[in-house]
Amino acid sequence: DAGVIQSPRHEVTEMGQEVTLRCKPISGHNSLFWYRQTMMRGLELLIYFNNNVPIDDSGMPEDRFSAKMPNASFSTLKIQPSEPRDSAVYFCASSLLGTGAGLANIYEQYFGPGTRLTVT
Amino acid sequence: GEDVEQSLFLSVREGDSSVINCTYTDSSSTYLYWYKQEPGAGLQLLTYIFSNMDMKQDQRLTVLLNKKDKHLSLRIADTQTGDSAIYFCAERTGGYQKVTFGTGTKLQVIP
């Protein structure tokens, strides 16, 4: 498996522009997470989906941010309009939520390589 | 509430042991994890421990869990330059997969 795929790897845009980040989770995984990493705030969970349904979006900073998961193999994180303070590395991660507890399922999250976003 | 705290930076000499510490606040944590982030990459699971365990050893790695004090530590024996990275402590609580990550500890290994 290719692992979690994110695109683009780098994005430079001007303030006010719309930015769309893309993620393809590992095939067969049923949970997907979007994180943001900055020096000041560390790693923040923005939103996560289970079976394509958003479960918790309490980490989304404001209405300028939106995320969708139209099917099991694709998700987008959109920022409109973008601002300089949105500059960060955005990670997508996927995981398999099993139906039983125990040693067989430790709910490991597999992270993509990240998208480095710079808003000028 | 969920809050996971770590010191920001640790520097050790090659060949020495490294100990990275973490404190968490949610006593209902079920799994606790250590993830490693190398420069320019995403996080990778390094090891984990169930909340009903006190210790777990995996080659050069030893994880200690003190549930009473809500303290988790990661010991790396014979630290190598390749161990230089950011190490994140994380806890999982609740029925779904929400995992709360710590702030990360940057480990610098001096040759």
Side-chain angles (χ1 to χ4, degrees):
Chain A
D1 200 315
V4 175
I5 298 172
Q6 290 187 248
S7 64
R9 291 295 310 277
H10 302 274
E11 176 82 30
V12 180
T13 191
E14 291 183 347
M15 183 173 66
Q17 296 298 306
E18 177 179 294
V19 174
T20 300
L21 311 181
R22 296 172 176 78
C23 175
K24 178 177 166 44
I26 290 173
S27 177
H29 282 188
N30 55 9
S31 296
L32 184 138
F33 308 78
W34 281 102
Y35 293 90
R36 177 172 70 175
Q37 186 178 33
T38 61
M39 290 289 290
M40 292 294 292
R41 302 171 73 92
L43 191 68
E44 303 173 275
L45 175 65
L46 301 177
I47 185 171
Y48 74 98
F49 296 84
N50 192 50
N51 292 323
N52 312 339
V53 176
I55 301 300
D56 185 349
D57 65 354
S58 59
M60 297 286 262
E62 49 200 273
D63 292 346
R64 297 185 298 107
F65 286 69
S66 63
K68 293 182 180 178
M69 192 164 186
N71 57 61
S73 58
F74 184 66
S75 176
T76 58
L77 178 68
K78 187 175 291 187
I79 309 172
Q80 165 65 16
S82 59
E83 296 183 4
R85 60 193 168 118
D86 301 330
S87 297
V89 180
Y90 290 80
F91 289 103
C92 175
S94 71
S95 183
L96 177 61
L97 177 63
T99 56
L103 294 174
N105 193 339
I106 60 168
Y107 310 109
E108 176 178 357
Q109 292 189 18
Y110 294 80
F111 282 73
T115 296
R116 182 174 293 277
L117 173 64
T118 303
V119 183
T120 60
Chain B
E2 304 155 355
D3 198 11
V4 182
E5 294 189 356
Q6 306 176 234
S7 54
L8 291 179
F9 190 76
L10 176 66
S11 180
V12 299
R13 294 208 172 273
E14 190 175 17
D16 288 350
S17 291
S18 309
V19 179
I20 303 172
N21 294 300
C22 168
T23 58
Y24 59 97
T25 56
D26 195 328
S27 57
S28 64
S29 297
T30 52
Y31 296 78
L32 294 125
Y33 310 88
W34 285 102
Y35 280 78
K36 178 182 180 183
Q37 183 183 29
E38 297 188 355
L43 282 69
Q44 276 192 301
L45 181 66
L46 196 59
T47 187
Y48 66 92
I49 189 168
F50 293 111
S51 57
N52 62 358
M53 297 169 66
D54 300 322
M55 185 183 87
K56 179 180 179 181
Q57 189 144 4
D58 184 0
Q59 299 182 337
R60 292 191 298 120
L61 306 177
T62 303
V63 179
L64 294 178
L65 175 60
N66 182 329
K67 283 196 75 175
K68 176 176 171 288
D69 295 336
K70 299 190 184 68
H71 183 265
L72 183 74
S73 68
L74 173 69
R75 179 177 180 268
I76 305 173
D78 186 25
T79 311
Q80 303 297 306
T81 54
D83 295 325
S84 294
I86 302 176
Y87 291 81
F88 290 87
C89 166
E91 63 170 346
R92 176 180 175 268
T93 57
Y96 282 103
Q97 291 200 70
K98 184 170 183 177
V99 173
T100 302
F101 285 85
T103 49
T105 299
K106 185 171 185 177
L107 175 64
Q108 179 187 49
V109 182
I110 304 166

